[in-house]
């Protein structure tokens, strides 16, 4: 089987998205180089921000639909009956470009297999490596619960593909992740296309500005059985703080080692299903987008996500005749008609990667429950969005290079100072969504009760300590924090600390919730209310100290304040409230690095 570069297999109008981008990238070069000369400026430069979109302002509806595909293109086989009428289906014509990954071949009934992904990535690495100056490799980054090897393709103009070689380029690294949810195939197929375009197609020039790491399929076991969760039943995209699954651990290790400046996470959302049951309507938008929206994120990070990424993304999708909205979902409880933006808890990849100071973007195409229906359009939407993320990073490479150290420093400097938000919640609003009539396919505007994640309310705040002491028995927590890239110290001698100890004032066993309902596969959590008692605490040699004056201070805070549903304590990664002390003055103790 031959995999031809996109540029040789597409209709003219499809080819142009890449040619236009290549031209745009070439035009950017002088500006990017000029901006690089100002690297000593401590604050990132910033264009005056446009007003933040109000939660109640709907995105402009796309009025004109893309042209119908050429008659020569055979429709992809549909493995399951369409969940809606032909009139609805007609609202989503195939794009004029045809993508031809193994799983997208016209005669196929199954998506690209794990073995085909590995072979495809190896082909791309081999092709890319033939370009002078480019290093490319397929790296095993872990194993799934069923023992499948998780693969990452690394592409960079660097002396190698190890983290040090990429960091030495001084260029920002972009991490693209697909199919954390096994029943959302468009992301992984699109990432195979993006990998090929980077290796031997029209995206090659971006490697002069950025490094790229691609994990096309983060949950191969779920993909093999067309299920959302991992094979053990856990939703890995609620596991990015706790790291109970090997799949989430693999992504955390990759984040820690390659320190991407930008992460894009490709998903698909339910087009009919419970939306049809609740609202009598089918979902319309080709892409739903959201960046990290969790407490304590640096303002500049959110501004970068909005201005440097989301706005160009909206424009790129619009150019392709693809419609977009903020990401939203609704609970599995059919009586509950509220629609919520993506959650605000620090457990999804989107939010945890934000707490790791990366610009973190969620890209969702309408695909869950559709089988292979509209698959070319879904992949085209993902390819367009992911290409926009790469182009934005290339365009902003210099500013991003300044942004990250600034944010890292800003967060470190907050240790022992000010309050941090322990728990936040979205703001209730009304919002108009455009859905589709399931029979006629006509637009059906519906005003919904809407939880906006763009305006977070603080539910509970607490002064930020200087760090946390952890008991010597807390080795699992210490290991998980280190897997995130957190610096964890060990006490080389016994001593004492001034700190706040937690005491339990109320307790309940509860199920972990997200905006959809109970999180799949999660054990019951221990939900407590706590009081704080200040005092001198004797601490033994061999116990741990986690300072907050480090770039991942906000992530540490999210993991170790015990009275939230996402915390290490609530999820029994820590065995009791007495295992943690909030240290409120810099400890004068002999500390050692862990080996
Ligand atoms: Zn998903």
């Amino acid at each position: 089987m031959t995999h031809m570069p996109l540029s040789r297999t597409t209709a003219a109008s499809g080819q142009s998205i890449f040619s236009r981008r290549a031209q745009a990238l070439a035009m950017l070069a002088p500006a990017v180089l000029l901006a690089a000369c100002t690297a000593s400026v401590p604050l990132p430069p910033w264009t005056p921000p446009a007003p933040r979109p109000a939660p109640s302002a709907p995105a402009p509806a796309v009025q004109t639909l893309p042209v119908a595909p050429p008659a020569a293109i055979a429709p992809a086989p549909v493995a399951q009956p369409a969940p809606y009428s032909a009139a609805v289906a007609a609202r989503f014509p195939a794009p004029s470009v045809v993508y031809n990954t193994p799983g997208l071949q016209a005669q196929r009934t199954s998506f690209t297999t794990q073995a085909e992904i590995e072979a495809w990535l190896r082909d791309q690495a081999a092709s890319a490596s033939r370009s002078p100056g480019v290093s490319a490799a397929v790296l095993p980054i872990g194993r799934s619960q069923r023992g499948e090897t998780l693969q990452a393709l690394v592409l960079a103009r660097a002396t190698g593909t190890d983290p040090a070689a990429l960091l030495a380029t001084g260029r920002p690294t972009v991490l693209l992740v697909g199919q954390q949810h096994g029943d959302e195939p468009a992301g992984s197929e699109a990432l195979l296309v993006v990998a090929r375009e980077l290796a031997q197609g029209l995206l090659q020039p971006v490697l002069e500005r950025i490094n790229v790491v691609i994990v096309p399929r983060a949950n191969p076991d779920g993909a093999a059985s067309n299920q959302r969760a991992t094979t053990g039943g856990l939703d890995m995209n609620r596991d990015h703080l706790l790291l109970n699954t090997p799949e989430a651990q693999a992504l955390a290790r990759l984040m820690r080692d390659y320190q991407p400046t930008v992460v894009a996470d490709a998903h698909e959302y339910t087009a009919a299903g419970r939306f049809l049951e609740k609202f009598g309507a089918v979902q319309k938008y080709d892409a739903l987008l959201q960046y990290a929206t969790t407490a304590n994120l640096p303002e500049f990070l959110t501004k970068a996500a909005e201005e440097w990424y989301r706005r160009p993304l909206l424009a790129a999708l619009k150019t392709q005749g693809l419609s977009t909205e903020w990401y939203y979902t609704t609970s599995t409880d059919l009586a509950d008609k509220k629609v919520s933006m993506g959650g605000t808890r620090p457990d999804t990849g989107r939010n945890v990667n934000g707490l790791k100071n990366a610009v973190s973007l969620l890209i969702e195409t309408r695909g869950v429950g559709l089988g292979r229906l509209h698959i070319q359009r879904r992949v085209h939407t993902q390819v367009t969005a992911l290409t926009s993320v790469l182009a934005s990073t290339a365009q902003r490479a210099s500013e991003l290079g300044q942004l990250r150290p600034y944010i890292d420093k800003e967060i470190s400097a907050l240790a022992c100072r000010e309050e941090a938000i322990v728990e936040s919640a979205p703001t209730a609003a009304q919002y108009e969504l455009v859905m589709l009539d399931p029979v006629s396919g006509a637009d059906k505007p519906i005003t919904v009760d809407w939880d906006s994640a763009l305006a977070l309310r603080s539910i509970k705040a607490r002064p930020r300590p200087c760090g946390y002491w952890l008991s010597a028995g807390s080795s699992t927590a210490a290991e998980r924090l280190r897997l995130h890239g957190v610096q964890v110290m060990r006490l080389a001698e016994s001593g004492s600390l001034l700190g706040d100890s937690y005491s339990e004032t109320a307790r309940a066993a509860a199920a972990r919730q997200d905006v959809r309902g109970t999180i799949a596969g999660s054990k019951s959590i221990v939900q407590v209310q706590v009081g704080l008692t200040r005092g001198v605490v004797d601490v033994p040699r061999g116990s741990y100290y986690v300072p907050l004056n480090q770039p991942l201070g906000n992530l540490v805070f999210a993991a170790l304040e015990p009275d939230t549903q996402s915390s290490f304590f609530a999820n029994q990664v820590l065995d009791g409230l007495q295992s943690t002390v909030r240290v409120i003055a810099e400890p004068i103790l002999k500390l050692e690095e862990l080996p």
Side-chain angles (χ1 to χ4, degrees):
M1 185 186 316
T2 55
H3 306 309
M4 303 291 281
L6 189 69
S7 48
R8 274 178 271 155
T9 57
T10 56
S13 57
Q15 188 177 339
S16 67
I17 71 160
F18 285 106
S19 353
R20 271 203 303 277
R21 282 185 204 293
Q23 282 161 13
L25 287 167
M27 281 160 55
L28 292 170
V32 169
L33 292 173
L34 267 179
C37 301
T38 60
S40 62
V41 179
L43 253 169
W46 207 272
T47 48
R52 202 150 190 212
S56 57
V62 174
Q63 297 299 331
T64 49
L65 289 168
V67 292
I73 299 166
V78 179
Q80 60 194 81
Y84 42 65
S85 71
V88 173
R91 297 290 306 263
F92 302 95
S96 39
V97 53
V98 180
Y99 299 101
N100 60 355
T101 61
L104 295 179
Q105 303 292 321
Q107 74 282 4
R108 286 276 292 244
T109 54
S110 62
F111 292 106
T112 305
T113 66
Q114 193 63 11
E116 286 169 334
I117 285 184
E118 183 171 352
W120 177 279
L121 295 181
R122 289 200 187 287
D123 282 354
Q124 305 320 318
S127 282
S129 301
R130 287 195 283 273
S131 296
V134 174
S135 291
V138 182
L139 306 177
I141 59 164
R143 277 188 185 283
S144 73
Q145 289 163 61
R146 274 197 218 153
E148 291 283 358
T149 302
L150 304 167
Q151 314 279 0
L153 173 67
V154 180
L155 295 149
R157 289 194 162 272
T159 54
T161 54
D162 57 298
L166 266 63
L167 289 177
T169 65
R171 299 185 192 112
T173 294
V174 182
L175 171 62
L176 305 176
V177 178
Q179 219 170 359
Q180 291 202 61
H181 293 139
D183 57 349
E184 301 172 9
S188 60
E189 302 294 344
L191 283 169
L192 298 185
V193 175
V194 170
R196 182 183 56 193
E197 292 306 312
L198 283 163
Q200 50 179 313
L202 288 160
L203 284 173
Q204 270 183 307
V206 301
L207 295 178
E208 287 164 25
R209 309 255 178 279
I210 63 175
N211 309 315
V212 184
V213 179
I214 301 178
V215 180
R217 181 171 284 163
N219 175 11
D221 300 348
S225 43
N226 192 34
Q227 67 174 38
R228 176 181 170 88
T230 58
T231 201
L234 262 166
D235 184 339
M236 71 172 288
N237 200 29
R238 301 295 179 274
D239 189 39
H240 289 291
L241 185 61
L242 299 172
L243 303 181
N244 285 320
T245 59
E247 292 88 352
Q249 289 174 8
L251 291 182
R253 205 176 295 117
L254 200 63
M255 286 290 294
R256 178 194 67 190
D257 294 345
Y258 283 90
Q259 298 177 36
T261 307
V262 183
V263 185
D265 189 13
H267 287 252
E268 295 203 275
Y269 76 95
T270 301
R274 58 194 189 278
F275 282 107
L276 188 58
E277 295 181 79
K278 288 188 188 185
F279 302 103
V282 172
Q283 298 315 290
K284 164 175 177 156
Y285 303 104
D286 289 295
L288 303 181
L289 308 173
Q290 191 170 332
Y291 36 75
T293 52
T294 192
N296 306 316
L297 288 178
E299 190 192 355
F300 268 119
L301 197 61
T302 303
K303 284 160 79 82
E306 169 63 29
E307 293 174 29
W308 294 351
Y309 286 92
R310 195 181 75 96
R311 288 183 198 168
L313 242 165
L314 296 181
L317 290 164
K318 196 174 176 187
T319 301
Q320 294 298 312
L322 300 165
S323 60
T324 55
E325 242 308 343
W326 287 106
Y327 172 64
Y328 61 82
T329 186
T330 188
S331 77
T332 49
D333 172 7
L334 295 183
D336 172 15
K337 293 202 174 181
K338 189 173 67 184
V339 174
S340 305
M341 288 184 66
T344 60
R345 291 189 167 114
D347 54 7
T348 57
R350 175 174 56 83
N351 284 340
V352 172
N353 292 332
L355 289 173
K356 292 181 178 179
N357 307 338
V359 174
S360 177
L361 304 157
L362 172 71
I363 301 163
E364 299 247 0
T365 40
R366 63 187 297 287
V368 172
L370 296 189
R372 295 178 74 86
L373 188 62
H374 311 311
I375 187 63
Q376 288 285 341
R377 186 179 176 104
R378 288 148 61 189
V379 170
H380 183 57
T381 305
Q382 288 284 357
V383 169
T384 301
L386 294 163
T387 300
S388 170
V389 171
L390 296 176
S392 291
T393 311
Q395 184 186 351
R396 298 289 183 176
S398 163
E399 289 100 322
L400 288 163
Q402 295 174 54
L403 179 70
R404 182 61 171 270
Y406 173 79
I407 289 172
D408 286 356
K409 216 182 284 180
E410 186 190 30
I411 293 170
S412 303
L414 288 171
C416 316
R417 288 175 49 208
E418 298 180 20
E419 291 217 309
I421 296 171
V422 176
E423 185 125 54
S424 67
T427 302
Q430 297 251 296
Y431 197 77
E432 188 179 278
L433 293 169
V434 179
M435 301 187 189
L436 298 177
D437 183 282
V439 178
S440 72
D443 278 2
K444 184 174 177 179
I446 294 181
T447 300
V448 295
D449 290 327
W450 172 265
D451 267 355
S452 171
L454 298 179
L456 291 185
R457 289 177 297 126
S458 172
I459 304 289
K460 185 161 42 182
R462 192 163 284 159
R464 212 183 277 258
C466 301
Y468 293 89
W469 171 85
L470 297 177
S471 68
S474 304
S475 55
T476 303
E479 279 163 27
R480 300 273 168 97
L481 289 171
R482 295 183 75 211
L483 191 50
H484 281 302
V486 171
Q487 184 192 30
V488 178
M489 312 293 289
R490 193 153 51 196
L491 275 61
E493 60 185 18
S494 299
S496 55
L497 292 165
L498 183 61
D500 294 335
S501 300
Y502 297 101
S503 57
E504 188 176 314
T505 57
R507 166 181 291 241
R512 244 178 105 206
Q513 302 282 318
D514 62 16
V515 290
R516 294 161 46 96
T518 298
I519 295 173
S522 281
K523 285 185 293 189
S524 174
I525 55 168
V526 184
Q527 231 161 18
V528 289
Q529 300 296 319
V530 295
L532 299 177
T533 310
R534 181 149 304 174
V536 175
V537 183
D538 291 328
V539 290
R541 179 171 179 267
S543 53
Y544 302 96
Y545 180 64
V546 188
L548 275 199
N549 63 342
Q550 58 176 312
L552 299 188
N554 286 331
L555 180 117
V556 174
F557 190 85
L560 296 184
E561 288 298 330
D563 47 337
T564 70
Q565 74 152 27
S566 308
S567 74
F568 279 12
F569 168 78
N571 292 276
Q572 293 134 66
V573 177
L574 281 163
D575 58 8
L577 283 178
Q578 73 291 342
S579 300
T580 312
V581 171
R582 293 162 48 85
V583 178
I584 59 133
E586 288 292 354
I588 306 166
L589 284 169
K590 195 173 166 198
L591 301 170
E592 60 189 10
E593 293 273 357
L594 289 172

